[in-house]
Amino acid sequence: MSTLDATKAELALLILYLNKAEARDKICRAIQYGSKYLSNGEPGTAQNVDKTTSSARKVFRLLKFVNDLHALISPPPKGTPLPLILLGKSKNALLSTFLLLDQVVWAGRTGIYKNKERAELIGRISLFCWMGSSVCSSVIELAELGRLSASTKKLEKDLKQTDKYQNEEYKNKLKQSNDRFLALVKASMDIVVAVGLLQLAPKKVTPRVTGGFGFVTSLISCYQLLPSPPKAKTP
Protein backbone atom coordinates (compact mmCIF):
# COMPACT_ATOMS: atom_id res chain seq x y z
CA MET A 1 0.00 0.00 0.00
CA SER A 2 1.40 3.41 -1.00
CA THR A 3 1.66 6.39 1.37
CA LEU A 4 -1.23 8.10 -0.44
CA ASP A 5 -3.44 5.02 -0.11
CA ALA A 6 -2.58 4.71 3.58
CA THR A 7 -3.40 8.40 4.14
CA LYS A 8 -6.72 8.04 2.31
CA ALA A 9 -7.59 4.98 4.42
CA GLU A 10 -6.77 6.83 7.64
CA LEU A 11 -8.84 9.85 6.55
CA ALA A 12 -11.74 7.54 5.70
CA LEU A 13 -11.59 6.09 9.23
CA LEU A 14 -11.44 9.60 10.70
CA ILE A 15 -14.50 10.67 8.67
CA LEU A 16 -16.32 7.51 9.77
CA TYR A 17 -15.44 8.35 13.38
CA LEU A 18 -16.46 12.02 13.21
CA ASN A 19 -19.75 11.15 11.48
CA LYS A 20 -20.90 9.54 14.74
CA ALA A 21 -22.96 11.91 16.90
CA GLU A 22 -21.68 10.01 19.95
CA ALA A 23 -18.05 10.68 18.95
CA ARG A 24 -18.67 14.41 18.49
CA ASP A 25 -20.43 14.47 21.86
CA LYS A 26 -17.44 12.88 23.61
CA ILE A 27 -14.99 15.25 21.90
CA CYS A 28 -17.09 18.17 23.14
CA ARG A 29 -17.15 16.51 26.57
CA ALA A 30 -13.35 16.45 26.62
CA ILE A 31 -13.34 20.18 25.78
CA GLN A 32 -15.95 20.85 28.46
CA TYR A 33 -14.14 19.07 31.28
CA GLY A 34 -10.71 20.23 30.12
CA SER A 35 -12.03 23.79 30.42
CA LYS A 36 -13.48 23.03 33.85
CA TYR A 37 -10.05 21.78 34.95
CA LEU A 38 -8.36 24.95 33.68
CA SER A 39 -10.93 27.32 35.18
CA ASN A 40 -11.11 25.57 38.59
CA GLY A 41 -14.49 27.26 39.07
CA GLU A 42 -13.09 30.78 38.54
CA PRO A 43 -14.81 33.19 36.11
CA GLY A 44 -13.06 33.67 32.79
CA THR A 45 -12.71 32.32 29.28
CA ALA A 46 -12.22 28.69 30.39
CA GLN A 47 -15.40 28.75 32.48
CA ASN A 48 -17.34 30.27 29.56
CA VAL A 49 -16.11 27.46 27.30
CA ASP A 50 -17.17 24.93 29.94
CA LYS A 51 -20.69 26.34 30.21
CA THR A 52 -21.32 26.87 26.49
CA THR A 53 -19.96 23.43 25.57
CA SER A 54 -22.11 21.82 28.27
CA SER A 55 -25.23 23.43 26.76
CA ALA A 56 -24.20 22.53 23.20
CA ARG A 57 -23.71 18.85 24.14
CA LYS A 58 -27.34 18.56 25.23
CA VAL A 59 -28.42 18.92 21.58
CA PHE A 60 -26.38 15.80 20.70
CA ARG A 61 -28.34 13.89 23.34
CA LEU A 62 -31.85 14.72 22.08
CA LEU A 63 -33.99 11.54 22.21
CA LYS A 64 -30.90 9.50 23.13
CA PHE A 65 -32.83 8.05 26.10
CA VAL A 66 -34.57 5.75 23.58
CA ASN A 67 -31.36 3.68 23.28
CA ASP A 68 -31.32 2.68 26.95
CA LEU A 69 -35.09 2.35 27.00
CA HIS A 70 -34.75 -0.23 24.22
CA ALA A 71 -31.97 -2.01 26.14
CA LEU A 72 -34.19 -2.01 29.24
CA ILE A 73 -36.98 -3.95 27.55
CA SER A 74 -34.68 -6.22 25.51
CA PRO A 75 -33.93 -9.75 26.79
CA PRO A 76 -30.50 -10.18 28.45
CA PRO A 77 -27.77 -12.41 26.96
CA LYS A 78 -28.22 -16.09 27.75
CA GLY A 79 -26.26 -17.36 30.73
CA THR A 80 -26.17 -14.00 32.53
CA PRO A 81 -26.68 -14.41 36.32
CA LEU A 82 -29.85 -12.87 37.73
CA PRO A 83 -28.01 -10.26 39.92
CA LEU A 84 -26.16 -8.99 36.84
CA ILE A 85 -29.42 -8.87 34.87
CA LEU A 86 -31.03 -6.76 37.60
CA LEU A 87 -28.00 -4.46 37.79
CA GLY A 88 -27.96 -4.10 34.01
CA LYS A 89 -31.66 -3.23 33.87
CA SER A 90 -31.21 -0.76 36.75
CA LYS A 91 -28.35 0.87 34.86
CA ASN A 92 -30.48 1.17 31.70
CA ALA A 93 -33.42 2.61 33.65
CA LEU A 94 -31.25 5.17 35.47
CA LEU A 95 -29.36 6.23 32.35
CA SER A 96 -32.55 6.53 30.32
CA THR A 97 -34.10 8.66 33.08
CA PHE A 98 -31.00 10.85 33.22
CA LEU A 99 -31.07 11.47 29.47
CA LEU A 100 -34.83 12.15 29.50
CA LEU A 101 -34.59 14.63 32.40
CA ASP A 102 -31.58 16.23 30.75
CA GLN A 103 -33.90 17.32 27.93
CA VAL A 104 -35.93 19.28 30.50
CA VAL A 105 -32.70 20.94 31.71
CA TRP A 106 -31.92 21.91 28.12
CA ALA A 107 -35.45 23.29 27.70
CA GLY A 108 -34.95 25.34 30.88
CA ARG A 109 -31.66 26.80 29.65
CA THR A 110 -33.14 27.76 26.29
CA GLY A 111 -36.21 29.39 27.86
CA ILE A 112 -38.72 26.86 26.54
CA TYR A 113 -39.36 25.65 30.09
CA LYS A 114 -39.99 28.74 32.22
CA ASN A 115 -39.76 27.35 35.77
CA LYS A 116 -36.02 27.80 36.48
CA GLU A 117 -36.14 26.49 40.06
CA ARG A 118 -37.85 23.28 39.01
CA ALA A 119 -35.45 22.92 36.08
CA GLU A 120 -32.51 23.14 38.50
CA LEU A 121 -34.11 20.52 40.77
CA ILE A 122 -34.69 18.22 37.79
CA GLY A 123 -31.05 18.80 36.81
CA ARG A 124 -29.87 17.55 40.22
CA ILE A 125 -32.19 14.53 40.06
CA SER A 126 -30.82 13.70 36.60
CA LEU A 127 -27.24 13.85 37.90
CA PHE A 128 -28.13 11.48 40.76
CA CYS A 129 -29.56 9.09 38.14
CA TRP A 130 -26.32 9.32 36.17
CA MET A 131 -24.26 8.67 39.30
CA GLY A 132 -26.46 5.65 40.08
CA SER A 133 -25.97 4.27 36.57
CA SER A 134 -22.19 4.71 36.94
CA VAL A 135 -22.28 2.77 40.23
CA CYS A 136 -24.23 -0.03 38.52
CA SER A 137 -21.74 -0.03 35.63
CA SER A 138 -18.79 -0.31 38.03
CA VAL A 139 -20.31 -3.30 39.84
CA ILE A 140 -21.26 -4.98 36.54
CA GLU A 141 -17.77 -4.56 35.06
CA LEU A 142 -16.16 -5.83 38.27
CA ALA A 143 -18.39 -8.92 38.28
CA GLU A 144 -17.84 -9.55 34.56
CA LEU A 145 -14.07 -9.30 35.06
CA GLY A 146 -14.36 -11.97 37.75
CA ARG A 147 -16.33 -14.25 35.40
CA LEU A 148 -13.82 -13.67 32.59
CA SER A 149 -10.90 -14.39 34.89
CA ALA A 150 -12.41 -17.72 35.95
CA SER A 151 -13.14 -18.80 32.36
CA THR A 152 -9.68 -17.66 31.21
CA LYS A 153 -7.95 -19.71 33.90
CA LYS A 154 -9.99 -22.74 32.89
CA LEU A 155 -8.99 -22.22 29.25
CA GLU A 156 -5.32 -21.85 30.24
CA LYS A 157 -5.43 -25.31 31.84
CA ASP A 158 -6.85 -26.78 28.63
CA LEU A 159 -4.10 -25.10 26.58
CA LYS A 160 -1.14 -26.18 28.72
CA GLN A 161 0.44 -28.17 25.91
CA THR A 162 0.07 -25.43 23.31
CA ASP A 163 0.94 -21.76 22.82
CA LYS A 164 -2.08 -20.05 24.34
CA TYR A 165 -1.26 -16.74 22.65
CA GLN A 166 -1.91 -18.39 19.27
CA ASN A 167 -5.39 -19.49 20.37
CA GLU A 168 -8.15 -17.19 19.07
CA GLU A 169 -10.50 -17.86 21.99
CA TYR A 170 -7.76 -16.99 24.49
CA LYS A 171 -6.87 -13.80 22.62
CA ASN A 172 -10.55 -12.80 22.55
CA LYS A 173 -10.84 -13.30 26.29
CA LEU A 174 -7.76 -11.15 26.88
CA LYS A 175 -9.25 -8.40 24.71
CA GLN A 176 -12.56 -8.64 26.56
CA SER A 177 -10.74 -8.39 29.89
CA ASN A 178 -8.86 -5.27 28.75
CA ASP A 179 -12.08 -3.68 27.47
CA ARG A 180 -13.91 -4.52 30.69
CA PHE A 181 -11.09 -3.12 32.84
CA LEU A 182 -11.09 0.13 30.85
CA ALA A 183 -14.87 0.37 31.23
CA LEU A 184 -14.50 -0.21 34.99
CA VAL A 185 -11.94 2.60 35.29
CA LYS A 186 -14.21 4.94 33.32
CA ALA A 187 -17.35 4.13 35.33
CA SER A 188 -15.50 4.48 38.65
CA MET A 189 -14.05 7.85 37.67
CA ASP A 190 -17.46 9.03 36.45
CA ILE A 191 -18.80 8.48 39.97
CA VAL A 192 -16.26 11.05 41.18
CA VAL A 193 -17.32 13.41 38.37
CA ALA A 194 -20.97 13.09 39.43
CA VAL A 195 -20.02 13.77 43.07
CA GLY A 196 -18.20 16.89 41.91
CA LEU A 197 -21.08 18.16 39.75
CA LEU A 198 -23.53 17.60 42.61
CA GLN A 199 -21.09 19.24 45.05
CA LEU A 200 -21.51 16.42 47.56
CA ALA A 201 -17.90 16.81 48.75
CA PRO A 202 -16.87 20.32 47.63
CA LYS A 203 -13.67 20.43 49.71
CA LYS A 204 -12.27 17.18 48.29
CA VAL A 205 -13.84 17.01 44.84
CA THR A 206 -13.13 20.52 43.61
CA PRO A 207 -13.98 21.82 40.11
CA ARG A 208 -10.38 21.04 39.10
CA VAL A 209 -10.66 17.43 40.31
CA THR A 210 -14.05 17.11 38.58
CA GLY A 211 -12.60 18.55 35.39
CA GLY A 212 -9.54 16.32 35.49
CA PHE A 213 -11.50 13.12 36.05
CA GLY A 214 -14.09 14.13 33.46
CA PHE A 215 -11.38 14.88 30.90
CA VAL A 216 -9.80 11.45 31.39
CA THR A 217 -13.13 9.61 31.12
CA SER A 218 -13.93 11.62 27.98
CA LEU A 219 -10.66 10.48 26.39
CA ILE A 220 -11.51 6.88 27.34
CA SER A 221 -14.93 7.26 25.70
CA CYS A 222 -13.31 8.70 22.56
CA TYR A 223 -10.94 5.72 22.46
CA GLN A 224 -13.79 3.23 22.95
CA LEU A 225 -15.61 4.71 19.95
CA LEU A 226 -12.64 4.35 17.58
CA PRO A 227 -13.54 2.23 14.53
CA SER A 228 -11.59 -0.97 14.03
CA PRO A 229 -9.00 -0.65 11.25
CA PRO A 230 -9.66 -2.84 8.20
CA LYS A 231 -7.90 -6.20 8.25
CA ALA A 232 -5.03 -6.61 5.84
CA LYS A 233 -5.85 -8.88 2.92
CA THR A 234 -3.81 -12.03 2.64
CA PRO A 235 -2.10 -12.52 -0.73
Side-chain angles (χ1 to χ4, degrees):
M1 183 183 288
S2 66
T3 304
L4 180 60
D5 289 337
T7 304
K8 286 169 66 177
E10 289 171 359
L11 284 174
L13 283 174
L14 180 61
I15 291 169
L16 180 65
Y17 181 72
L18 294 177
N19 278 341
K20 297 178 181 178
E22 185 75 9
R24 295 197 300 273
D25 176 41
K26 298 310 178 187
I27 291 170
C28 288
R29 188 179 191 268
I31 296 170
Q32 175 193 345
Y33 283 102
S35 301
K36 186 181 289 292
Y37 173 82
L38 293 174
S39 71
N40 194 26
E42 299 296 329
T45 303
Q47 190 180 71
N48 291 338
V49 173
D50 173 17
K51 289 181 178 179
T52 54
T53 310
S54 174
S55 297
R57 284 185 59 224
K58 296 188 184 302
V59 179
F60 289 116
R61 299 201 293 265
L62 284 172
L63 301 178
K64 191 181 172 182
F65 70 91
V66 175
N67 295 345
D68 280 278
L69 187 61
H70 179 265
L72 178 63
I73 62 177
S74 298
K78 290 183 179 180
T80 306
L82 181 59
L84 286 183
I85 293 174
L86 295 176
L87 276 171
K89 297 303 181 183
S90 299
K91 171 194 165 184
N92 295 139
L94 288 166
L95 196 53
S96 182
T97 304
F98 158 68
L99 292 167
L100 179 61
L101 295 179
D102 198 50
Q103 307 304 290
V104 181
V105 177
W106 171 76
R109 290 185 182 180
T110 55
I112 298 172
Y113 186 70
K114 303 297 183 183
N115 194 326
K116 290 185 177 180
E117 290 183 0
R118 185 167 293 177
E120 288 179 4
L121 176 62
I122 290 172
R124 283 189 64 82
I125 294 171
S126 72
L127 286 174
F128 274 111
C129 289
W130 179 54
M131 184 170 68
S133 72
S134 297
V135 171
C136 289
S137 294
S138 298
V139 177
I140 289 169
E141 297 303 335
L142 197 60
E144 290 290 1
L145 276 171
R147 294 177 69 202
L148 268 172
S149 177
S151 62
T152 303
K153 286 179 180 177
K154 183 180 178 182
L155 183 60
E156 283 177 343
K157 289 180 180 179
D158 296 336
L159 298 173
K160 273 186 178 180
Q161 307 301 324
T162 60
D163 184 1
K164 60 186 179 183
Y165 294 104
Q166 297 300 320
N167 183 275
E168 286 299 322
E169 186 181 355
Y170 184 79
K171 287 193 289 185
N172 286 336
K173 285 188 180 295
L174 285 182
K175 184 182 181 303
Q176 288 176 33
S177 294
N178 292 334
D179 291 343
R180 290 282 185 186
F181 180 74
L182 192 62
L184 173 61
V185 171
K186 176 182 173 295
S188 301
M189 293 182 75
D190 272 340
I191 295 172
V192 179
V193 176
V195 169
L197 293 175
L198 287 164
Q199 296 184 338
L200 299 179
K203 291 184 179 180
K204 292 183 178 180
V205 188
T206 62
R208 177 151 288 172
V209 173
T210 305
F213 274 61
F215 182 72
V216 172
T217 57
S218 300
L219 292 182
I220 292 173
S221 295
C222 289
Y223 171 76
Q224 290 173 326
L225 290 168
L226 283 174
S228 301
K231 293 182 180 180
K233 293 182 180 180
T234 54

